[in-house]
Amino acid sequence: MTKTHIAVRQDSRRHVRALIGWFDQFARTLPWRAPPGTPADPYRVWLSEIMLQQTTVAAVTPYFQEFLKRWPDINALAAAPLDDVLVAWQGLGYYARARNLVKCAKVVARDHGGVFPRDAQALLQLPGIGPYTAAAIAAIAFGRPEAVVDGNVERVIARLYAVEAPLPAAKPELRRLAAALTPGKRPGDYAQAMMDLGATICTPRNPKCAICPVADGCRARARGDPETYPRRDRRANKPVRRGTAWFTVNEKGEILLRRRPEKGLLGGMMEVPGSPWREGGSLEPALPEGVGPWRVVAAPVAHVFTHFRLELTVAWTRVRAKEGEKLAPEGVWAAPARLADYALPSVMKKVCAAGLKAVEGDG
Ligand code: SF4
C-alpha cells in the first residue's frame, strides 16, 4: 500500500463527513434531484445524465422539464415515436444521444418491466449508458457505493491528494483514490456533493478554497498552488479523439480483426473494428446495430499519437463467426495466442488486452 493510500484511508472519513454535511446545507437545487438524504428517481437521473453529456446545466434544464412533462416515466418514453423525441431534442446536439435514449427506454420497458436495473454492471449493458452514467445512476438512485468520476471529480481528487502524476496517465490513480473515498453510506449524496464541489467551489480557475468544506485536509491548498492540479502532460494539450472499439470473439474464442485502409493513420495495419474516432466525441459507447449484445469495459483505453490523444471505449461481445463478420466482411479471426503474428499497432494491442481480460473475467 502506498503512502497516498494510507493517507486516503485516514482522510476519507473526514472528507466524506465534511462533504455530506456541506451538501445537506448547500446542495444545488436541480429539477432532477431529490432532497439530500433521499434516493432520486432513476428515470430522472438517467435522463439528466444523458442530457448533461457535453451540455451545461443551464442549457439542459428547460429540455429536461419539457421531456418530463411529455414523457413522465420510462414507459411513456419507450412508447414515444422516435421523431417526436428527436424534435424535442433539437438544440441539444449529438442526436445519437436522443436515439439511444429511446432505444434504452424500450429495452428497460421490454426486458426489465419498466424498472431500471439497480447495479452499475447491469446498467452498463443498456444502450447509451457508459461507465460514468451507470455509476451515477447506481449511486444516486439506488445507493450503490460506485465511484462516479468525471473531469470535475478528477480535478478535486488531484487537488485533495496533490497527485503529481500528470493527466492522462494519472487517470487510473485518480480512479483508485475516488473508489477509496466513496462511502458505503449515502454514496449518492457524496457523488452529488463532489459534483457540486467541482462545479461551484473547486473550479478549474480560482478555486474558492476559503469556503471549501474539505479545505482542512486539502494538500494542494496546503502547498499553496491548487490551481496547478491536476498536473498535465505537455502532450496533453493535444486534441482528444474518442470512439468505441468493438471487441468481438467467436465460438472458438478468436478475435475479429480487420485491416485499416492503406492510406492515412496506421495505414494497412490491423485493428479491432470500431466506430470512427471523432474529436470532441463522447466516451459513451457507440455500438453497431444487429450484432451483440455488448458489454462495456469500465476503463477506456488511452493512447497518445503525434497530433492527438485517443480515448477508446472498449465494448465486447461473443457471437457466432457469421454474425461477427457483419462488422467487418473482410475481417479475419485471430486466435489470442497468435495475435503477435498480426501487424497490430500499440493502441490495438491495448484494446485486445482490455478485451481479453473482460472476456476471461466473464468465464
Ligand atoms: S481546498 Fe481548494 S483546491 Fe482543495 S478541494 Fe477545496 S477548493 Fe479545491
Side-chain angles (χ1 to χ4, degrees):
M1 191 177 281
T2 65
K3 274 188 191 165
T4 314
H5 285 104
I6 294 167
V8 172
R9 274 209 178 156
Q10 289 167 345
D11 291 353
S12 62
R13 280 204 196 140
R14 192 157 49 105
H15 287 328
V16 169
R17 247 198 325 271
L19 264 170
I20 290 185
W22 172 76
F23 186 71
D24 283 340
Q25 244 189 310
F26 299 110
R28 286 180 295 172
T29 306
L30 301 171
W32 43 87
R33 273 192 177 170
T38 44
D41 172 4
Y43 176 66
R44 291 176 179 228
V45 179
W46 165 71
L47 185 59
S48 64
E49 288 298 342
I50 301 292
M51 287 183 164
L52 284 164
Q53 287 163 19
Q54 295 154 352
T55 315
T56 62
V57 165
V60 160
T61 298
Y63 284 89
F64 177 83
Q65 283 164 331
E66 177 63 20
F67 264 65
L68 213 65
K69 205 158 51 171
R70 292 184 66 176
W71 303 294
D73 57 37
I74 192 89
N75 291 315
L77 189 60
L82 176 62
D83 280 351
D84 288 3
V85 176
L86 291 174
V87 169
W89 191 270
Q90 260 172 21
L92 273 178
Y94 300 104
Y95 283 84
R97 288 186 293 163
R99 285 197 192 87
N100 276 329
L101 207 64
V102 175
K103 265 195 221 162
C104 180
K106 285 188 194 301
V107 173
V108 173
R110 190 190 61 215
D111 300 346
H112 299 274
V115 180
F116 273 94
R118 301 174 73 87
D119 74 88
Q121 270 309 319
L123 287 160
L124 257 182
Q125 312 311 318
L126 297 172
I129 295 191
Y132 172 80
T133 308
I137 300 171
I140 298 169
F142 299 120
R144 300 286 167 116
E146 294 289 339
V148 184
V149 185
D150 65 357
N152 281 329
V153 173
E154 281 179 351
R155 179 175 64 254
V156 174
I157 299 220
R159 289 174 177 173
L160 266 178
Y161 295 103
V163 173
E164 292 301 332
L167 281 173
K171 277 177 183 279
E173 173 71 356
L174 294 172
R175 284 196 71 86
R176 271 196 297 278
L177 290 166
L181 260 172
T182 301
K185 278 191 192 156
R186 297 182 66 184
D189 284 345
Y190 165 76
Q192 294 175 97
M194 284 294 268
M195 291 174 185
D196 283 10
L197 191 75
T200 61
I201 303 235
C202 194
T203 44
R205 292 188 201 290
N206 303 320
K208 302 173 189 70
C209 302
I211 55 164
C212 174
V214 287
D216 270 358
C218 177
R219 295 170 177 217
R221 183 190 184 226
R223 287 175 45 104
D225 58 354
E227 221 184 273
T228 65
Y229 293 88
R231 304 285 199 225
R232 287 193 186 275
D233 194 322
R234 252 189 323 112
R235 296 171 301 172
N237 292 329
K238 296 174 181 185
V240 182
R241 294 186 196 171
R242 297 196 174 99
T244 303
W246 307 324
F247 188 81
T248 308
V249 292
N250 66 14
E251 52 279 68
K252 291 193 226 155
E254 295 165 329
I255 302 154
L256 182 63
L257 300 177
R258 70 180 173 194
R259 192 172 296 284
R260 291 180 62 85
E262 288 302 324
K263 287 199 174 152
L265 184 77
L266 309 173
M269 297 188 82
M270 300 300 282
E271 69 172 1
V272 170
S275 71
W277 304 345
R278 292 192 202 291
E279 206 166 308
S282 159
L283 275 177
E284 296 301 302
L287 297 172
E289 308 271 352
V291 179
W294 295 92
R295 297 171 67 175
V296 179
V297 176
V301 160
H303 192 76
V304 181
F305 289 96
T306 323
H307 299 295
F308 66 95
R309 286 191 296 122
L310 178 65
E311 293 179 4
L312 282 180
T313 300
V314 180
W316 69 272
T317 190
R318 275 183 223 273
V319 293
R320 289 196 309 279
K322 270 265 160 289
E323 192 188 344
E325 281 157 20
K326 287 187 216 157
L327 294 174
E330 311 286 310
V332 293
W333 292 102
R338 304 290 304 273
L339 278 179
D341 297 347
Y342 295 85
L344 282 171
S346 308
V347 61
M348 287 299 149
K349 287 182 186 151
K350 293 184 194 172
V351 168
C352 288
L356 280 170
K357 199 166 154 206
V359 172
E360 279 160 18
D362 189 54

